[in-house]
Amino acid sequence: MTLEWRAQLSVGNDLIDADHQHLIGIINSAEHSLKAKNMGGLTMVLDSLFSYSKIHFSREEMIASAVGYTDVAQLHASHETLLTKLTEMKQEIGDRLTDSAGEHFTAFLRDWLINHVIKEDMKMKPFLAKHSPRFDPRK
């Protein structure tokens, strides 16, 4: 089942929301590769997910700090945990994709998105609401 961006996933910052939309696209590509048992495609998608997640997490933490979010340390810790789990999942899949590993990975990706965006990032929304949706601390 393809994940779709919905307005209720918005944290109120265009940069973070665009990142989340891009991550949803990567997760959908990973699920497609899993279903097709396309190891080459899955490897590329997982590398992309890991690389883009690092970029996103860094940007998100920078924005959180700039808007005065009071729990940036917890946000950073949750990001580090997600990257560690992603690395572990890549190792679990290895060179062979079993049905159970694929199902486990699919569940992990969906849980990651739900827990990260809905449970973790939504805590920033009141702080982000004090700024324009186009707020970018680099400018």
Side-chain angles (χ1 to χ4, degrees):
M1 178 172 154
T2 302
L3 296 172
E4 293 182 23
W5 175 259
R6 291 187 170 85
Q8 57 264 45
L9 293 175
S10 174
V11 296
N13 178 274
D14 293 347
L15 291 171
I16 294 173
D17 288 346
D19 281 353
H20 289 164
Q21 290 173 39
H22 187 73
L23 287 167
I24 287 172
I26 295 172
I27 289 170
N28 286 335
S29 294
E31 287 190 359
H32 178 73
S33 293
L34 283 165
K35 287 178 184 169
K37 297 193 188 264
N38 177 354
M39 278 306 297
L42 182 59
T43 299
M44 288 188 342
V45 170
L46 293 179
D47 289 343
S48 176
L49 180 60
F50 187 83
S51 297
Y52 197 81
S53 294
K54 288 175 71 173
I55 292 166
H56 164 63
F57 292 159
S58 175
R59 181 175 11 249
E60 191 171 78
E61 291 169 21
M62 175 187 59
I63 292 169
S65 275
V67 299
Y69 181 58
T70 55
D71 214 355
V72 176
Q74 170 57 35
L75 184 65
H76 177 74
S78 75
H79 289 160
E80 290 299 312
T81 299
L82 286 169
L83 291 173
T84 299
K85 287 181 181 177
L86 182 57
T87 300
E88 291 169 358
M89 292 302 302
K90 283 176 63 175
Q91 291 170 347
E92 179 183 331
I93 290 172
D95 295 335
R96 286 192 1 224
L97 181 59
T98 64
D99 288 340
S100 65
E103 289 171 15
H104 186 219
F105 191 62
T106 299
F108 162 74
L109 291 174
R110 288 174 175 272
D111 184 59
W112 174 17
L113 184 71
I114 291 166
N115 283 322
H116 177 68
V117 175
I118 295 174
K119 293 183 180 172
E120 192 71 34
D121 289 353
M122 284 299 172
K123 294 176 188 175
M124 290 188 297
K125 197 168 186 170
F127 295 87
L128 293 165
K130 297 174 186 174
H131 300 270
S132 164
R134 292 180 296 282
F135 175 72
D136 182 346
R138 299 171 296 183
K139 294 180 180 178

Short mmCIF file of all heavy atoms in Angstrom, two decimals, residues 62-114:
data_model
loop_
_atom_site.label_atom_id
_atom_site.label_comp_id
_atom_site.label_asym_id
_atom_site.label_seq_id
_atom_site.Cartn_x
_atom_site.Cartn_y
_atom_site.Cartn_z
N MET A 62 18.56 21.82 12.85
CA MET A 62 18.94 23.22 12.71
C MET A 62 17.70 24.12 12.83
O MET A 62 17.72 25.13 13.55
CB MET A 62 19.62 23.45 11.36
CG MET A 62 19.95 24.89 11.07
SD MET A 62 20.57 25.16 9.39
CE MET A 62 19.21 24.57 8.39
N ILE A 63 16.63 23.74 12.17
CA ILE A 63 15.39 24.53 12.23
C ILE A 63 14.82 24.49 13.64
O ILE A 63 14.41 25.52 14.19
CB ILE A 63 14.37 24.02 11.19
CG1 ILE A 63 14.87 24.32 9.77
CG2 ILE A 63 12.99 24.65 11.42
CD1 ILE A 63 14.08 23.65 8.66
N ALA A 64 14.82 23.32 14.26
CA ALA A 64 14.29 23.18 15.62
C ALA A 64 15.05 24.09 16.58
O ALA A 64 14.44 24.77 17.41
CB ALA A 64 14.38 21.72 16.07
N SER A 65 16.36 24.12 16.46
CA SER A 65 17.16 25.01 17.32
C SER A 65 16.82 26.47 17.06
O SER A 65 16.67 27.25 18.01
CB SER A 65 18.65 24.80 17.05
OG SER A 65 19.15 23.76 17.78
N ALA A 66 16.71 26.83 15.80
CA ALA A 66 16.47 28.22 15.43
C ALA A 66 15.11 28.74 15.90
O ALA A 66 14.97 29.92 16.17
CB ALA A 66 16.59 28.39 13.91
N VAL A 67 14.12 27.84 16.01
CA VAL A 67 12.79 28.29 16.45
C VAL A 67 12.61 28.16 17.96
O VAL A 67 11.55 28.44 18.48
CB VAL A 67 11.64 27.56 15.70
CG1 VAL A 67 11.71 27.83 14.20
CG2 VAL A 67 11.61 26.08 16.02
N GLY A 68 13.66 27.72 18.64
CA GLY A 68 13.59 27.63 20.10
C GLY A 68 12.96 26.36 20.63
O GLY A 68 12.52 26.32 21.79
N TYR A 69 12.92 25.33 19.82
CA TYR A 69 12.38 24.05 20.29
C TYR A 69 13.22 23.58 21.47
O TYR A 69 14.44 23.57 21.41
CB TYR A 69 12.39 23.02 19.15
CG TYR A 69 11.84 21.68 19.53
CD1 TYR A 69 10.54 21.54 20.02
CD2 TYR A 69 12.60 20.53 19.40
CE1 TYR A 69 10.02 20.31 20.37
CE2 TYR A 69 12.09 19.29 19.73
CZ TYR A 69 10.81 19.18 20.22
OH TYR A 69 10.30 17.95 20.56
N THR A 70 12.56 23.22 22.54
CA THR A 70 13.25 22.95 23.80
C THR A 70 13.80 21.54 23.94
O THR A 70 14.53 21.27 24.90
CB THR A 70 12.31 23.24 24.99
OG1 THR A 70 11.11 22.46 24.83
CG2 THR A 70 11.96 24.71 25.07
N ASP A 71 13.49 20.66 23.00
CA ASP A 71 13.94 19.28 23.14
C ASP A 71 14.76 18.81 21.94
O ASP A 71 14.59 17.69 21.45
CB ASP A 71 12.72 18.36 23.37
CG ASP A 71 13.04 17.19 24.28
OD1 ASP A 71 14.22 17.05 24.68
OD2 ASP A 71 12.12 16.43 24.60
N VAL A 72 15.67 19.67 21.50
CA VAL A 72 16.51 19.34 20.34
C VAL A 72 17.39 18.13 20.66
O VAL A 72 17.62 17.29 19.78
CB VAL A 72 17.36 20.55 19.90
CG1 VAL A 72 18.30 20.18 18.76
CG2 VAL A 72 16.47 21.71 19.48
N ALA A 73 17.85 18.01 21.90
CA ALA A 73 18.70 16.87 22.25
C ALA A 73 17.95 15.55 22.08
O ALA A 73 18.50 14.58 21.57
CB ALA A 73 19.21 17.02 23.69
N GLN A 74 16.68 15.52 22.49
CA GLN A 74 15.87 14.31 22.32
C GLN A 74 15.62 14.05 20.83
O GLN A 74 15.65 12.91 20.39
CB GLN A 74 14.55 14.44 23.07
CG GLN A 74 13.54 13.34 22.77
CD GLN A 74 14.05 11.95 23.05
OE1 GLN A 74 14.81 11.73 23.99
NE2 GLN A 74 13.66 10.99 22.24
N LEU A 75 15.38 15.10 20.08
CA LEU A 75 15.17 14.97 18.64
C LEU A 75 16.41 14.36 17.99
O LEU A 75 16.32 13.41 17.20
CB LEU A 75 14.85 16.34 18.03
CG LEU A 75 14.52 16.37 16.55
CD1 LEU A 75 13.21 15.63 16.27
CD2 LEU A 75 14.42 17.81 16.07
N HIS A 76 17.58 14.88 18.36
CA HIS A 76 18.84 14.35 17.82
C HIS A 76 19.01 12.88 18.20
O HIS A 76 19.39 12.06 17.35
CB HIS A 76 20.02 15.18 18.33
CG HIS A 76 21.33 14.66 17.87
ND1 HIS A 76 21.78 14.80 16.57
CD2 HIS A 76 22.30 13.97 18.52
CE1 HIS A 76 22.96 14.23 16.45
NE2 HIS A 76 23.29 13.71 17.61
N ALA A 77 18.73 12.55 19.44
CA ALA A 77 18.86 11.15 19.89
C ALA A 77 17.93 10.24 19.11
O ALA A 77 18.32 9.12 18.72
CB ALA A 77 18.58 11.05 21.39
N SER A 78 16.71 10.69 18.84
CA SER A 78 15.77 9.86 18.07
C SER A 78 16.26 9.69 16.64
O SER A 78 16.11 8.62 16.06
CB SER A 78 14.36 10.46 18.10
OG SER A 78 14.26 11.59 17.27
N HIS A 79 16.89 10.72 16.09
CA HIS A 79 17.44 10.62 14.75
C HIS A 79 18.58 9.61 14.70
O HIS A 79 18.66 8.79 13.77
CB HIS A 79 17.93 11.99 14.26
CG HIS A 79 16.83 12.95 13.97
ND1 HIS A 79 17.04 14.31 13.91
CD2 HIS A 79 15.51 12.77 13.73
CE1 HIS A 79 15.89 14.93 13.64
NE2 HIS A 79 14.95 14.00 13.53
N GLU A 80 19.45 9.67 15.68
CA GLU A 80 20.57 8.72 15.73
C GLU A 80 20.05 7.28 15.85
O GLU A 80 20.58 6.37 15.22
CB GLU A 80 21.50 9.06 16.90
CG GLU A 80 22.28 10.34 16.70
CD GLU A 80 23.20 10.30 15.49
OE1 GLU A 80 23.95 9.32 15.33
OE2 GLU A 80 23.17 11.26 14.69
N THR A 81 19.01 7.10 16.66
CA THR A 81 18.42 5.76 16.81
C THR A 81 17.85 5.27 15.49
O THR A 81 18.04 4.10 15.12
CB THR A 81 17.32 5.79 17.89
OG1 THR A 81 17.92 6.18 19.14
CG2 THR A 81 16.65 4.44 18.05
N LEU A 82 17.18 6.14 14.76
CA LEU A 82 16.61 5.76 13.47
C LEU A 82 17.70 5.38 12.47
O LEU A 82 17.56 4.39 11.75
CB LEU A 82 15.75 6.89 12.90
CG LEU A 82 14.40 7.08 13.57
CD1 LEU A 82 13.76 8.38 13.10
CD2 LEU A 82 13.49 5.91 13.27
N LEU A 83 18.79 6.13 12.44
CA LEU A 83 19.87 5.80 11.52
C LEU A 83 20.51 4.46 11.88
O LEU A 83 20.86 3.67 11.00
CB LEU A 83 20.91 6.92 11.49
CG LEU A 83 20.45 8.22 10.85
CD1 LEU A 83 21.50 9.32 11.04
CD2 LEU A 83 20.16 8.03 9.36
N THR A 84 20.65 4.21 13.17
CA THR A 84 21.20 2.92 13.63
C THR A 84 20.28 1.78 13.23
O THR A 84 20.74 0.75 12.71
CB THR A 84 21.41 2.93 15.16
OG1 THR A 84 22.34 3.97 15.48
CG2 THR A 84 21.92 1.60 15.67
N LYS A 85 18.98 1.95 13.44
CA LYS A 85 18.03 0.91 13.07
C LYS A 85 18.02 0.68 11.56
O LYS A 85 17.90 -0.46 11.10
CB LYS A 85 16.62 1.26 13.56
CG LYS A 85 16.45 1.11 15.05
CD LYS A 85 15.03 1.44 15.46
CE LYS A 85 14.85 1.32 16.96
NZ LYS A 85 13.50 1.70 17.38
N LEU A 86 18.14 1.75 10.79
CA LEU A 86 18.17 1.61 9.34
C LEU A 86 19.39 0.80 8.91
O LEU A 86 19.31 -0.08 8.06
CB LEU A 86 18.15 2.98 8.66
CG LEU A 86 18.14 2.99 7.14
CD1 LEU A 86 16.95 2.21 6.59
CD2 LEU A 86 18.11 4.42 6.63
N THR A 87 20.53 1.08 9.53
CA THR A 87 21.75 0.33 9.24
C THR A 87 21.57 -1.15 9.59
O THR A 87 21.96 -2.04 8.83
CB THR A 87 22.95 0.92 10.01
OG1 THR A 87 23.12 2.28 9.60
CG2 THR A 87 24.23 0.14 9.75
N GLU A 88 20.95 -1.41 10.73
CA GLU A 88 20.69 -2.79 11.14
C GLU A 88 19.77 -3.50 10.16
O GLU A 88 19.97 -4.67 9.84
CB GLU A 88 20.09 -2.83 12.55
CG GLU A 88 21.07 -2.42 13.64
CD GLU A 88 20.40 -2.20 14.99
OE1 GLU A 88 19.16 -2.32 15.11
OE2 GLU A 88 21.14 -1.88 15.95
N MET A 89 18.75 -2.79 9.68
CA MET A 89 17.83 -3.39 8.72
C MET A 89 18.54 -3.71 7.41
O MET A 89 18.30 -4.76 6.81
CB MET A 89 16.63 -2.47 8.46
CG MET A 89 15.70 -2.29 9.64
SD MET A 89 15.00 -3.83 10.27
CE MET A 89 14.18 -4.47 8.85
N LYS A 90 19.41 -2.81 6.97
CA LYS A 90 20.16 -3.07 5.74
C LYS A 90 21.02 -4.33 5.91
O LYS A 90 21.12 -5.15 4.99
CB LYS A 90 21.06 -1.88 5.40
CG LYS A 90 20.34 -0.71 4.78
CD LYS A 90 21.25 0.47 4.55
CE LYS A 90 22.35 0.17 3.58
NZ LYS A 90 23.18 1.34 3.26
N GLN A 91 21.61 -4.48 7.08
CA GLN A 91 22.44 -5.66 7.34
C GLN A 91 21.58 -6.93 7.42
O GLN A 91 22.00 -7.98 6.97
CB GLN A 91 23.24 -5.48 8.62
CG GLN A 91 24.32 -4.42 8.49
CD GLN A 91 24.96 -4.05 9.81
OE1 GLN A 91 24.48 -4.39 10.88
NE2 GLN A 91 26.07 -3.32 9.73
N GLU A 92 20.39 -6.82 7.99
CA GLU A 92 19.50 -7.97 8.09
C GLU A 92 19.11 -8.47 6.70
O GLU A 92 19.06 -9.68 6.46
CB GLU A 92 18.24 -7.62 8.88
CG GLU A 92 17.26 -8.77 9.00
CD GLU A 92 15.98 -8.38 9.71
OE1 GLU A 92 16.00 -7.47 10.56
OE2 GLU A 92 14.95 -9.00 9.42
N ILE A 93 18.86 -7.54 5.81
CA ILE A 93 18.48 -7.93 4.46
C ILE A 93 19.69 -8.51 3.73
O ILE A 93 19.58 -9.52 3.04
CB ILE A 93 17.88 -6.73 3.69
CG1 ILE A 93 16.51 -6.41 4.29
CG2 ILE A 93 17.75 -7.03 2.21
CD1 ILE A 93 15.88 -5.16 3.77
N GLY A 94 20.85 -7.87 3.90
CA GLY A 94 22.07 -8.38 3.28
C GLY A 94 21.95 -8.51 1.77
O GLY A 94 21.42 -7.63 1.10
N ASP A 95 22.44 -9.62 1.25
CA ASP A 95 22.41 -9.85 -0.20
C ASP A 95 21.19 -10.63 -0.63
O ASP A 95 20.91 -10.74 -1.82
CB ASP A 95 23.66 -10.62 -0.64
CG ASP A 95 24.93 -9.81 -0.44
OD1 ASP A 95 24.83 -8.58 -0.42
OD2 ASP A 95 26.00 -10.43 -0.31
N ARG A 96 20.49 -11.21 0.32
CA ARG A 96 19.31 -12.02 -0.01
C ARG A 96 18.10 -11.46 0.70
O ARG A 96 18.14 -11.19 1.90
CB ARG A 96 19.52 -13.46 0.43
CG ARG A 96 20.47 -14.21 -0.46
CD ARG A 96 20.44 -15.70 -0.20
NE ARG A 96 19.51 -16.11 0.82
CZ ARG A 96 19.78 -16.98 1.76
NH1 ARG A 96 20.95 -17.54 1.83
NH2 ARG A 96 18.87 -17.32 2.65
N LEU A 97 17.06 -11.34 -0.03
CA LEU A 97 15.83 -10.80 0.51
C LEU A 97 14.85 -11.93 0.77
O LEU A 97 14.31 -12.51 -0.16
CB LEU A 97 15.23 -9.77 -0.46
CG LEU A 97 13.94 -9.10 -0.03
CD1 LEU A 97 14.15 -8.36 1.28
CD2 LEU A 97 13.47 -8.13 -1.09
N THR A 98 14.65 -12.25 2.04
CA THR A 98 13.66 -13.25 2.39
C THR A 98 12.32 -12.56 2.60
O THR A 98 12.27 -11.34 2.83
CB THR A 98 14.04 -14.00 3.68
OG1 THR A 98 14.05 -13.06 4.76
CG2 THR A 98 15.42 -14.66 3.54
N ASP A 99 11.24 -13.33 2.53
CA ASP A 99 9.91 -12.74 2.76
C ASP A 99 9.81 -12.13 4.14
O ASP A 99 9.26 -11.05 4.31
CB ASP A 99 8.82 -13.81 2.55
CG ASP A 99 8.64 -14.17 1.08
OD1 ASP A 99 9.06 -13.37 0.21
OD2 ASP A 99 8.09 -15.24 0.81
N SER A 100 10.33 -12.82 5.15
CA SER A 100 10.22 -12.30 6.52
C SER A 100 11.04 -11.03 6.70
O SER A 100 10.60 -10.09 7.35
CB SER A 100 10.63 -13.35 7.55
OG SER A 100 11.99 -13.68 7.42
N ALA A 101 12.24 -10.97 6.09
CA ALA A 101 13.05 -9.76 6.18
C ALA A 101 12.35 -8.61 5.47
O ALA A 101 12.34 -7.47 5.95
CB ALA A 101 14.44 -9.99 5.59
N GLY A 102 11.74 -8.91 4.32
CA GLY A 102 11.01 -7.88 3.58
C GLY A 102 9.83 -7.34 4.36
O GLY A 102 9.61 -6.12 4.41
N GLU A 103 9.07 -8.23 4.99
CA GLU A 103 7.92 -7.80 5.79
C GLU A 103 8.38 -7.00 7.00
O GLU A 103 7.77 -5.98 7.35
CB GLU A 103 7.12 -9.01 6.24
CG GLU A 103 6.36 -9.69 5.11
CD GLU A 103 5.75 -11.02 5.51
OE1 GLU A 103 5.67 -11.31 6.73
OE2 GLU A 103 5.35 -11.77 4.61
N HIS A 104 9.47 -7.44 7.64
CA HIS A 104 10.01 -6.74 8.80
C HIS A 104 10.46 -5.33 8.40
O HIS A 104 10.22 -4.35 9.10
CB HIS A 104 11.16 -7.55 9.39
CG HIS A 104 11.70 -7.01 10.66
ND1 HIS A 104 13.03 -7.00 10.97
CD2 HIS A 104 11.09 -6.43 11.73
CE1 HIS A 104 13.22 -6.45 12.15
NE2 HIS A 104 12.06 -6.10 12.63
N PHE A 105 11.13 -5.24 7.25
CA PHE A 105 11.63 -3.95 6.78
C PHE A 105 10.48 -3.01 6.41
O PHE A 105 10.51 -1.83 6.73
CB PHE A 105 12.58 -4.14 5.61
CG PHE A 105 13.33 -2.90 5.25
CD1 PHE A 105 14.19 -2.30 6.16
CD2 PHE A 105 13.15 -2.30 4.03
CE1 PHE A 105 14.87 -1.14 5.84
CE2 PHE A 105 13.83 -1.14 3.69
CZ PHE A 105 14.70 -0.57 4.60
N THR A 106 9.47 -3.55 5.73
CA THR A 106 8.31 -2.74 5.38
C THR A 106 7.64 -2.18 6.64
O THR A 106 7.30 -0.99 6.70
CB THR A 106 7.30 -3.56 4.56
OG1 THR A 106 7.93 -3.98 3.34
CG2 THR A 106 6.06 -2.76 4.21
N ALA A 107 7.47 -3.04 7.64
CA ALA A 107 6.87 -2.59 8.90
C ALA A 107 7.74 -1.53 9.56
O ALA A 107 7.24 -0.53 10.09
CB ALA A 107 6.66 -3.78 9.83
N PHE A 108 9.06 -1.72 9.53
CA PHE A 108 9.98 -0.75 10.10
C PHE A 108 9.84 0.60 9.41
O PHE A 108 9.76 1.65 10.07
CB PHE A 108 11.43 -1.25 9.98
CG PHE A 108 12.45 -0.16 10.15
CD1 PHE A 108 12.72 0.38 11.40
CD2 PHE A 108 13.13 0.35 9.06
CE1 PHE A 108 13.65 1.40 11.56
CE2 PHE A 108 14.06 1.36 9.20
CZ PHE A 108 14.32 1.89 10.45
N LEU A 109 9.80 0.62 8.07
CA LEU A 109 9.71 1.88 7.34
C LEU A 109 8.43 2.63 7.67
O LEU A 109 8.45 3.85 7.91
CB LEU A 109 9.77 1.62 5.83
CG LEU A 109 11.11 1.14 5.28
CD1 LEU A 109 10.99 0.80 3.81
CD2 LEU A 109 12.20 2.19 5.49
N ARG A 110 7.33 1.92 7.71
CA ARG A 110 6.05 2.57 8.02
C ARG A 110 6.02 3.07 9.47
O ARG A 110 5.57 4.18 9.75
CB ARG A 110 4.89 1.62 7.76
CG ARG A 110 4.69 1.41 6.27
CD ARG A 110 3.65 0.36 5.96
NE ARG A 110 3.45 0.33 4.51
CZ ARG A 110 2.57 1.09 3.89
NH1 ARG A 110 1.80 1.92 4.56
NH2 ARG A 110 2.45 1.03 2.58
N ASP A 111 6.52 2.25 10.37
CA ASP A 111 6.58 2.63 11.78
C ASP A 111 7.49 3.85 11.96
O ASP A 111 7.19 4.76 12.71
CB ASP A 111 7.08 1.45 12.62
CG ASP A 111 7.08 1.76 14.09
OD1 ASP A 111 6.00 2.07 14.63
OD2 ASP A 111 8.16 1.70 14.72
N TRP A 112 8.60 3.85 11.24
CA TRP A 112 9.53 4.96 11.29
C TRP A 112 8.83 6.25 10.90
O TRP A 112 8.89 7.25 11.60
CB TRP A 112 10.70 4.68 10.37
CG TRP A 112 11.69 5.81 10.21
CD1 TRP A 112 11.85 6.89 11.02
CD2 TRP A 112 12.66 5.94 9.18
NE1 TRP A 112 12.86 7.69 10.54
CE2 TRP A 112 13.37 7.13 9.43
CE3 TRP A 112 13.00 5.16 8.08
CZ2 TRP A 112 14.40 7.57 8.61
CZ3 TRP A 112 14.03 5.61 7.27
CH2 TRP A 112 14.72 6.79 7.53
N LEU A 113 8.15 6.22 9.78
CA LEU A 113 7.47 7.42 9.31
C LEU A 113 6.41 7.88 10.31
O LEU A 113 6.35 9.04 10.67
CB LEU A 113 6.84 7.17 7.94
CG LEU A 113 6.20 8.41 7.33
CD1 LEU A 113 7.27 9.40 6.89
CD2 LEU A 113 5.32 8.05 6.17
N ILE A 114 5.61 6.96 10.77
CA ILE A 114 4.54 7.31 11.70
C ILE A 114 5.11 7.84 13.01
O ILE A 114 4.73 8.90 13.49
CB ILE A 114 3.61 6.12 11.93
CG1 ILE A 114 2.82 5.83 10.66
CG2 ILE A 114 2.68 6.36 13.12
CD1 ILE A 114 2.11 4.50 10.64
#
